[in-house]
Amino acid sequence: MIQRVPKVSVCIPTFNRVNLLPYAIDSVIKQTYQDWELIVCDDGSTDDTPELMSQYQDSRINYIQIGRAHV
């Protein structure tokens, strides 16, 4: 099976910006062009970023946590 690759990749780096992140994500989602993927790279946020990201169920959105100790 061949996996389809989107034509546009959007990367959003973030660290403790849970108050601004929805604006950036929603602006990508609201674009008229739909052949995209969104990669949110979280560099160890200690705010509610993981909880916010769990609210987005769009399969084109990928959330990557980097540098956060998982206990």
Side-chain angles (χ1 to χ4, degrees), residues 1 7-8 21 42 49-50 54 69:
M1 184 165 130
K7 288 190 177 186
V8 175
L21 194 54
D42 179 0
T49 297
S54 70

Side-chain angles (χ1 to χ4, degrees), residues 18-38:
V18 73
N19 58 326
L20 297 175
L21 194 54
Y23 296 106
I25 294 170
D26 293 343
S27 72
V28 174
I29 292 171
K30 291 177 183 177
Q31 295 299 309
T32 56
Y33 185 77
Q34 293 296 306
D35 193 8
W36 54 263
E37 69 175 339
L38 173 61

Side-chain angles (χ1 to χ4, degrees), residues 3-68:
Q3 184 176 0
R4 194 176 137 324
V5 178
K7 288 190 177 186
V8 175
S9 295
V10 179
C11 297
I12 300 175
T14 189
F15 177 75
N16 288 343
R17 295 288 185 236
V18 73
N19 58 326
L20 297 175
L21 194 54
Y23 296 106
I25 294 170
D26 293 343
S27 72
V28 174
I29 292 171
K30 291 177 183 177
Q31 295 299 309
T32 56
Y33 185 77
Q34 293 296 306
D35 193 8
W36 54 263
E37 69 175 339
L38 173 61
I39 304 165
V40 178
C41 295
D42 179 0
D43 193 16
S45 292
T46 56
D47 60 5
D48 292 329
T49 297
E51 290 78 11
L52 170 73
M53 292 307 302
S54 70
Q55 297 174 16
Y56 288 95
Q57 299 300 313
D58 192 316
S59 63
R60 298 170 295 177
I61 299 175
N62 299 295
Y63 176 53
I64 301 170
Q65 290 177 290
I66 303 168
R68 183 174 183 183

